[in-house]
Amino acid sequence: FIILKSLDTLKYGVRTGHPRFFNQLSSGLDVVGLAGEWLTSTANSNMFTYEVSPVFVLMEEVLLKKMQNIVGWLEDEGDGIFCPGGTISNLYSILLARYHFYPEVKTRGMGALPQLALFTSEHSHYSLKKSAAVLGLGTDNMVMVKCDERGKMISAELEAAIVSTKKKGLVPIYVNATAGTTVYGAFDPLNDIADICHRHSLWMHVDAAWGGGLLISDRHRMKLQGIERAWSVTWNPHKMMGVPLQCSAILVKKRGLLKECNELGAEYLFQKDKHYDVSYDTGDKSIQCGRHVDAFKFWLMWKAKGSEGFEAQINKCLENAEYLYDQLQRRTDFKLVFDSKPEHCTVCFWYTPPSLRCLPAGPEKEAKLHQLAPWIKARMMEKGSAMVGYQPLGGKVNFFRCVLSNPATQQEDIDFLLDQIVQLGQYL
């Protein structure tokens, strides 16, 4: 009975590991990672103390040090923790920035602080605004900085926004730069942003949830030049590195700050007279108590395939994105949202059916084009043939946003997607 019900669940669910699932930033199915998840569930351990998770705690420390080294930080600096997703990792960055500048907030609350201002690009992930709301800073105080046509933050606009905010009486403390935006896959100019943060003494965070995996690739890591100058970094191995959900890390340059910010020293967990080095009790670095073991599956995958294996699959995904870009350029029935080559694994485009090609540009054509992508996606889902995302952005009507983060995807899968879009949309 249990086996039959489990099979039914999979039958009617979405096969996110399928090579024609282009819908989300995390996709694919790594069997080594799956084996790691099984073992983790079998152990049923909690990550708050070394005494109950000795092996997993040490594995997490090894992985975090490796990731900090890849970011470019020195051996004696850096800290971190695995979190339940990139949103929580980004929330930690703001929490730590606020505590760094105003440690009294921990005991006295927001009423003891001036009105703070934070900055991020208009193409950044919505978790930044959400974190500002959760932490009581207010979404109005998260200043959205203008981007260029490619989706990159304009550094001159950031500087102007900081100066303007100071004149209004607010106190800037934090800038988020994005390495791999959710929609366009754009990389903000990290070195320029780091220079501005240095001049104004601001905390610089890099949200590399989507783009962090490119640090493993010698071919693509230059897109994140300057990330080593950040004070904190979000990196989601469950995206480009294909680790099963969830696996996200917040990396912090200042060692000890995580614990100072979050420590409350519950005596039933964090006794000081234990028979081992209690610095391995990592629970007080976290805002959680119970914490899932997210490190083991990642550690096992890294052991199995090595950095070279991760690099090969990351390069393959970028090659797939370039292939799709090239195919779209060759066809007159498709149009790219922006003409430049994709920096990452997201490719954005419109399909124009024959019935709309003769219509002059204007509101009527835009309105009909806006309805097209949702309709085609719905038919694909009903057939079970493929899944691809769509969305509007700013003044742009709905376009397809194809994510190519599964290394199992082949060129014929990409060709199939385009053929499906044409087949379903040509008579509309």
Side-chain angles (χ1 to χ4, degrees):
F1 173 81
I2 293 172
I3 292 172
L4 287 173
K5 289 300 176 186
S6 298
L7 291 173
D8 280 347
T9 302
L10 290 174
K11 177 182 177 181
Y12 294 110
V14 176
R15 295 170 62 190
T16 59
H18 197 282
R20 293 175 184 173
F21 177 82
F22 304 103
N23 209 69
Q24 252 68 50
L25 304 184
S26 52
S27 66
L29 178 62
D30 189 281
V31 292
V32 176
L34 180 61
E37 192 70 80
W38 284 342
L39 189 144
T40 297
S41 296
T42 302
N44 197 30
S45 296
N46 200 319
M47 286 292 287
F48 45 38
T49 61
Y50 177 83
E51 64 187 274
V52 297
S53 290
V55 179
F56 295 138
V57 164
L58 293 177
M59 284 178 173
E60 180 175 71
E61 182 177 337
V62 167
L63 284 168
L64 290 167
K65 283 184 177 178
K66 179 73 172 177
M67 295 169 80
Q68 291 155 17
N69 178 258
I70 291 170
V71 165
W73 294 342
L74 299 175
E75 188 69 31
D76 60 346
E77 63 184 2
D79 202 348
I81 200 165
F82 281 91
C83 306
T87 293
I88 303 301
S89 293
N90 284 340
L91 184 145
Y92 269 105
S93 71
I94 299 175
L95 180 73
L96 291 169
R98 184 178 65 178
Y99 179 82
H100 171 76
F101 290 110
Y102 296 98
E104 63 268 28
V105 72
K106 183 174 178 178
T107 52
R108 297 174 59 195
M110 284 295 294
L113 273 57
Q115 191 172 1
L116 306 179
L118 314 122
F119 303 83
T120 191
S121 89
E122 59 187 0
H123 279 239
S124 64
H125 194 261
Y126 74 95
S127 61
L128 277 304
K129 266 195 169 184
K130 181 171 281 192
S131 297
V134 169
L135 293 171
L137 293 158
T139 58
D140 287 349
N141 296 321
M142 179 64 75
V143 180
M144 310 306 287
V145 181
K146 290 180 182 177
C147 294
D148 62 20
E149 69 284 348
R150 184 58 187 81
K152 298 171 181 286
M153 183 192 286
I154 302 171
S155 53
E157 293 285 347
L158 172 62
E159 182 99 50
I162 293 168
V163 172
S164 173
T165 303
K166 285 181 177 179
K167 287 179 179 177
K168 293 175 183 175
L170 277 70
V171 179
I173 63 165
Y174 170 100
V175 175
N176 171 71
T178 308
T181 58
T182 308
V183 182
Y184 283 0
F187 291 79
D188 286 342
L190 302 185
N191 269 318
D192 291 347
I193 293 168
D195 290 342
I196 293 168
C197 288
H198 179 73
R199 277 199 298 275
H200 293 274
S201 299
L202 305 181
W203 181 288
M204 177 183 174
H205 175 67
V206 175
D207 177 7
W210 178 213
L214 272 62
L215 290 167
I216 305 292
S217 168
D218 288 339
R219 192 185 304 171
H220 296 287
R221 69 167 288 124
M222 81 287 294
K223 296 171 184 176
L224 294 96
Q225 277 185 335
I227 194 171
E228 72 282 354
R229 300 175 66 186
W231 292 17
S232 58
V233 173
T234 291
W235 182 350
N236 285 10
H238 70 229
K239 291 195 168 84
M240 279 305 295
M241 300 179 79
V243 180
L245 286 162
Q246 63 196 23
C247 190
S248 174
I250 174 69
L251 308 176
V252 186
K253 198 167 194 177
K254 185 177 179 182
R255 188 185 295 276
L257 188 64
L258 265 169
K259 189 170 184 181
E260 290 173 28
C261 179
N262 296 311
E263 182 179 26
L264 287 175
E267 292 181 347
Y268 57 86
L269 283 177
F270 308 117
Q271 305 91 344
K272 302 298 183 184
D273 54 356
K274 292 179 178 180
H275 66 285
Y276 58 83
D277 182 353
V278 295
S279 67
Y280 288 111
D281 286 353
T282 57
D284 247 355
K285 293 201 294 186
S286 169
I287 57 176
Q288 303 166 248
C289 179
R291 191 161 62 90
H292 186 258
V293 178
D294 294 326
F296 177 68
K297 57 197 172 188
F298 186 25
W299 179 90
L300 196 64
M301 287 173 64
W302 216 324
K303 280 290 186 182
K305 64 182 65 184
S307 297
E308 296 82 5
F310 277 128
E311 180 179 22
Q313 71 181 45
I314 288 163
N315 289 345
K316 171 72 182 301
C317 292
L318 269 293
E319 287 165 10
N320 280 340
E322 290 178 18
Y323 176 78
L324 174 57
Y325 168 78
D326 290 340
Q327 295 304 109
L328 292 168
Q329 277 200 314
R330 292 189 182 103
R331 301 180 61 153
T332 57
D333 47 351
F334 288 92
K335 182 184 177 184
L336 290 153
V337 172
F338 50 86
D339 291 329
S340 57
K341 193 174 181 179
E343 288 188 297
H344 205 354
C345 295
T346 43
V347 183
C348 302
F349 58 91
W350 290 283
Y351 166 68
T352 308
S355 62
L356 296 184
R357 285 174 211 162
C358 296
L359 272 181
E364 182 186 359
K365 186 173 183 177
E366 294 284 285
K368 289 183 177 181
L369 197 61
H370 186 67
Q371 298 170 16
L372 191 73
W375 191 92
I376 291 175
K377 176 173 181 171
R379 302 294 85 75
M380 279 185 187
M381 291 178 66
E382 288 167 359
K383 290 178 65 176
S385 58
M387 187 180 281
V388 62
Y390 72 85
Q391 68 168 88
L393 185 67
K396 296 179 173 67
V397 298
N398 278 327
F399 53 83
F400 290 106
R401 179 181 68 111
C402 184
V403 181
L404 294 142
S405 59
N406 185 350
T409 298
Q410 305 299 323
Q411 290 182 0
E412 52 263 34
D413 298 307
I414 297 168
D415 294 337
F416 176 87
L417 173 68
L418 297 182
D419 291 342
Q420 274 282 283
I421 291 172
V422 171
Q423 181 185 337
L424 293 169
Q426 64 181 322
Y427 299 117
L428 290 177

